[in-house]
Amino acid sequence: QVQLAESGGGLVQAGGSLRLSCAASGRTLRMYDVAWFRQAPGNEREFVARISWNGNNINYADSVKGRFTISRENAKNTVYLQMNTLKPEDTATYYCKAQSIMATGDVYWGQGTQVTVSS
């Protein structure tokens, strides 16, 4: 089992920055691809960014390209999402998801952290 805990959310003005962290416990994240998703009230959960287990493959949603950066520090069992030039439409609860690269493909989700961007 992997337990994921997001942190770093908060209230920020438009144009500001936040760095979210997704810390894992229970098992190393080394063999997991990790992604960030977000969900605003009334909307479906949407993909934000993904980083492969070894950091060699990174993908972003078009809406955050050039503003958000995903990274990982396996020694700390943590994945980060640096969010710059935040916009009110980035307001959402942000979740991290870990998916095993092994055949079982186990998937784990965190509880989320709230990001609110004021205009």
Side-chain angles (χ1 to χ4, degrees), residues 7-119:
S7 63
L11 174 63
V12 64
Q13 288 189 331
S17 298
L18 285 172
R19 188 177 81 156
L20 305 184
S21 298
C22 173
S25 59
R27 195 173 291 177
T28 177
L29 273 183
R30 292 181 187 274
M31 303 306 288
Y32 289 81
D33 297 333
V34 178
W36 286 95
F37 286 75
R38 66 187 181 186
Q39 187 168 19
N43 291 357
E44 293 187 354
R45 193 169 295 190
E46 65 174 5
F47 168 79
V48 175
R50 170 191 170 274
I51 186 166
S52 63
W53 66 280
N54 58 4
N56 287 347
N57 291 294
I58 291 176
N59 307 98
Y60 296 99
D62 287 343
S63 58
V64 306
K65 276 181 185 175
R67 300 188 298 122
F68 290 12
T69 303
I70 189 171
S71 62
R72 64 190 301 156
E73 193 169 358
N74 284 341
K76 293 188 175 181
N77 231 19
T78 301
V79 172
Y80 304 99
L81 185 68
Q82 177 67 42
M83 306 188 297
N84 297 329
T85 319
L86 283 160
K87 305 175 181 180
E89 51 264 43
D90 294 318
T91 295
T93 301
Y94 283 71
Y95 300 89
C96 63
K97 169 191 169 187
Q99 182 161 1
S100 174
I101 64 170
M102 307 303 284
T104 57
D106 295 346
V107 174
Y108 301 94
W109 289 88
Q111 293 299 306
T113 185
Q114 177 67 37
V115 171
T116 303
V117 184
S118 64
S119 57

